[in-house]
Amino acid sequence: MSQSQTRAIGSVAVFVPTGEIETEVHALAPRLRSLREARIGILDNCKEFADIVLRGVAQVLQREHGAQVKFWRKDYLGKPSPFAQEMAAGCDAVINGVGH
């Protein structure tokens, strides 16, 4: 264990689990020129009320922009989405929704 991973509090060595910060700079995805007939993926993270909010968003996208909307739902909010590759291949944009 390196010195940066422990901190002494009195006579007790305490592990500090923060680790080293490593970041990479990535360019943002280009914005859609229009929502008209766009293929929009919606990922429900299964938090309470997320489905209600996301269905309302989907209705507006379909009604006002003619968007094609497809839903995915994670089985547990603490896990990464297993649908990322499928969504990237089949969608022009993705909305990741949250509840409260």
Side-chain angles (χ1 to χ4, degrees), residues 82-96:
F83 313 113
Q85 295 296 326
E86 181 183 353
M87 294 177 88
C91 299
D92 299 312
V94 173
I95 298 169
N96 182 20

Side-chain angles (χ1 to χ4, degrees), residues 24-71:
E24 292 181 31
V25 176
H26 296 279
L28 295 175
R31 291 182 180 261
L32 297 179
R33 291 180 187 246
S34 171
L35 291 173
R36 178 75 34 216
E37 299 181 8
R39 299 170 305 157
I40 307 295
I42 296 185
L43 177 62
D44 180 344
N45 69 355
C46 74
K47 279 191 169 183
E48 186 177 26
F49 301 120
D51 58 333
I52 295 168
V53 172
L54 293 171
R55 296 242 176 247
V57 169
Q59 288 173 355
V60 170
L61 288 169
Q62 291 168 327
R63 181 180 64 241
E64 295 183 13
H65 302 282
Q68 302 168 33
V69 178
K70 182 173 179 182
F71 279 86

